[in-house]
Amino acid sequence: MNSKFVMKSKDLFLIGFLFFYFLYRALFDSKLETELDIIVLMASALAGIITIGLNKRIRYHALIRYLLAGIFILFVFHQFHFSDTRLFMLYLSGLSLANEDETHVVKILFVSRIILILIIIFLGGFAQRNGIGSNVGNVALLYMCLDEEQFSIKKWFAIFMVLVALAFINLENAGVLVILSVVLLLQIVRKFNAGKKFLCSKFTMFIYPTCLLVTWYLSASIRVGEMPVIGSLFPASFNNFYLNFVKRLNLVLGTRLSLSKTALDRIGIHLLGGDYFASGYRQLSMEAANRSGYFMVDSGYILLLLRWGILVTILICVISMITMGYFINKRAYNFIIAGIAFALWAILEDSLFYSFILMFWGRAYKEFCYMKKE
């Protein structure tokens, strides 16, 4: 990838789109209670639309396809009667970045993230205890993607030690430490031909839907009390061994699987999610509060199924496969590793819509269409 960049007028709007969107996320994640967040979000959306309009390299027939796809997504988005703008902003980022160099975008995101972390700290800190670990983890992955050359293990080890320190400060950051440990391992594996083949394999291309199925299957295992679907094919001893493994894994993951199981039981999976999720989740939270506790589903995949429904889940899986396939075809190993990291991260946290890898779905889709013509 060519990292050389010449500033153009539309790049100011691109920077505005990315910066204001992450400023919106910063205000949302901070302890500050303000009504400025909606104004910042509107500024981001406006800058994104202007960026699309100034992009002369987008062909009109491609715009029609994007428009039709956009109408479809907005139709689905309109069905949800709670304010969650992440799907719309993911759609807008795909169009805005369709003709942008990935490394250039990552530079903007990297600087923006650091500035916004400082803003959050200035505003009183993060609203959630794992906020600092999540943001530092994002900065680490962006830093890795700044240069597509072989990433220095020494640099990654330094980042890793920072996360170790954060984990000691607050165990809520331990999940990020696990994910970055996997990234460090993949950077080592990348040095070998077999490792490069693995990173460019079909398994990697399907990593997001695979993680989705694994997360659902493990959660459903607690729900049905045996291996779902295929449990009857195995003897009771094997089912008991598997269930004991899942129960131990649930404890390691901070009861994330059992909480997901409860949500799946009470809310269910629907075609369009929306109202079913809003009312069901509210009821579960109230019941937990009455017991002097709290209820929270952390897994991004389970929340994707519950909040957005089957239709949007399929859409996100298709987007992830096309985007990962794009980076695999380019042999962009750091971006591939970052994509794997976000896929694994979404098992533990609601981070699926914050993956900067998926923001390049528009560019990946454009390349996919050109490949089909050839």
Side-chain angles (χ1 to χ4, degrees):
M1 296 180 194
N2 182 18
S3 59
K4 187 177 181 180
F5 171 69
V6 178
M7 178 68 74
K8 301 175 183 177
S9 58
K10 73 178 183 66
D11 291 306
L12 295 174
F13 293 101
L14 174 64
I15 293 171
F17 164 64
L18 296 172
F19 181 82
F20 282 125
Y21 179 56
F22 281 100
L23 176 59
Y24 166 75
R25 292 307 315 168
L27 292 172
F28 185 82
D29 291 338
S30 72
K31 294 180 180 179
L32 181 69
E33 295 184 4
T34 177
E35 296 181 357
L36 290 175
D37 52 353
I38 188 63
I39 299 175
V40 173
L41 182 65
M42 290 176 64
S44 173
L46 179 61
I49 293 170
I50 294 174
T51 301
I52 297 169
L54 293 177
N55 200 328
K56 299 177 181 179
R57 290 181 290 175
I58 295 182
R59 300 178 182 178
Y60 286 104
H61 70 276
L63 266 180
I64 293 173
R65 289 202 300 269
Y66 287 140
L67 181 61
L68 291 174
I71 291 172
F72 171 73
I73 294 175
L74 289 174
F75 171 76
V76 175
F77 178 77
H78 182 69
Q79 303 305 305
F80 305 117
H81 300 292
F82 54 92
S83 56
D84 194 325
T85 58
R86 291 177 293 178
L87 182 64
F88 172 72
M89 294 306 291
L90 180 63
Y91 165 72
L92 193 60
S93 67
L95 268 63
S96 300
L97 307 181
N99 289 294
E100 300 297 332
D101 177 73
E102 295 91 356
T103 307
H104 165 53
V105 173
V106 165
K107 287 179 180 178
I108 297 174
L109 294 176
F110 178 72
V111 175
S112 298
R113 273 285 187 180
I114 292 176
I115 293 173
L116 294 174
I117 288 175
L118 296 176
I119 290 176
I120 294 177
I121 294 173
F122 178 76
L123 293 176
F126 293 90
Q128 297 184 4
R129 290 178 294 178
N130 63 344
I132 184 65
S134 175
N135 279 272
V136 171
N138 268 275
V139 169
L141 294 175
L142 286 165
Y143 181 56
M144 179 180 69
C145 293
L146 284 175
D147 189 356
E148 189 42 43
E149 298 300 321
Q150 179 73 43
F151 191 75
S152 170
I153 299 298
K154 292 181 179 178
K155 291 181 180 179
W156 194 249
F157 183 75
I159 296 172
F160 182 76
M161 292 309 296
V162 171
L163 266 296
V164 170
L166 289 174
F168 275 108
I169 294 172
N170 186 348
L171 288 176
E172 295 288 337
N173 298 311
V176 183
L177 182 63
V178 173
I179 299 303
L180 294 187
S181 300
V182 174
V183 173
L184 179 61
L185 177 62
L186 291 175
Q187 285 289 351
I188 296 172
V189 168
R190 175 188 167 182
K191 290 179 174 290
F192 306 96
N193 289 331
K196 290 180 179 179
K197 288 181 180 179
F198 167 75
L199 290 174
C200 296
S201 65
K202 293 293 184 182
F203 173 79
T204 302
M205 182 176 175
F206 290 91
I207 185 68
Y208 283 85
T210 299
C211 289
L212 168 68
L213 289 174
V214 169
T215 306
W216 170 83
Y217 195 86
L218 291 172
S219 301
S221 298
I222 296 179
R223 182 167 57 160
V224 300
E226 65 174 7
M227 296 180 69
V229 183
I230 59 174
S232 59
L233 301 176
F234 296 91
S237 58
F238 187 83
N239 273 289
N240 290 333
F241 171 79
Y242 170 76
L243 287 176
N244 286 330
F245 164 75
V246 173
K247 289 176 182 177
R248 290 178 183 273
L249 181 63
N250 182 46
L251 292 176
V252 171
L253 296 178
T255 68
R256 281 175 168 84
L257 297 178
S258 56
L259 289 171
S260 297
K261 172 255 182 188
T262 301
L264 288 168
D265 281 343
R266 296 285 297 275
I267 301 173
I269 301 173
H270 304 274
L271 185 65
L272 293 176
D275 283 342
Y276 297 102
F277 174 81
S279 58
Y281 203 87
R282 190 183 306 114
Q283 182 63 32
L284 287 169
S285 298
M286 290 174 60
E287 291 175 7
N290 292 334
R291 299 192 299 268
S292 300
Y294 74 97
F295 180 85
M296 180 176 293
V297 176
D298 288 310
S299 173
Y301 294 111
I302 299 300
L303 286 171
L304 180 65
L305 286 167
L306 297 175
R307 181 191 292 271
W308 299 100
I310 296 172
L311 201 58
V312 174
T313 298
I314 294 173
L315 177 67
I316 295 299
C317 286
V318 171
I319 284 174
S320 71
M321 288 186 290
I322 292 175
T323 307
M324 290 300 288
Y326 167 70
F327 288 120
I328 288 172
N329 287 333
K330 295 193 70 171
R331 297 297 188 267
Y333 293 107
N334 285 336
F335 283 87
I336 294 170
I337 293 173
I340 295 174
F342 278 114
L344 296 175
W345 204 341
I347 296 176
L348 304 174
E349 306 289 347
D350 183 18
S351 58
L352 197 60
F353 282 95
Y354 304 129
S355 167
F356 66 83
I357 296 297
L358 295 186
M359 293 176 69
F360 295 108
W361 71 264
R363 184 174 179 84
Y365 175 71
K366 185 187 73 172
E367 295 295 324
F368 175 75
C369 291
Y370 288 159
M371 286 173 60
K372 286 185 66 176
K373 288 180 181 179
E374 294 174 358

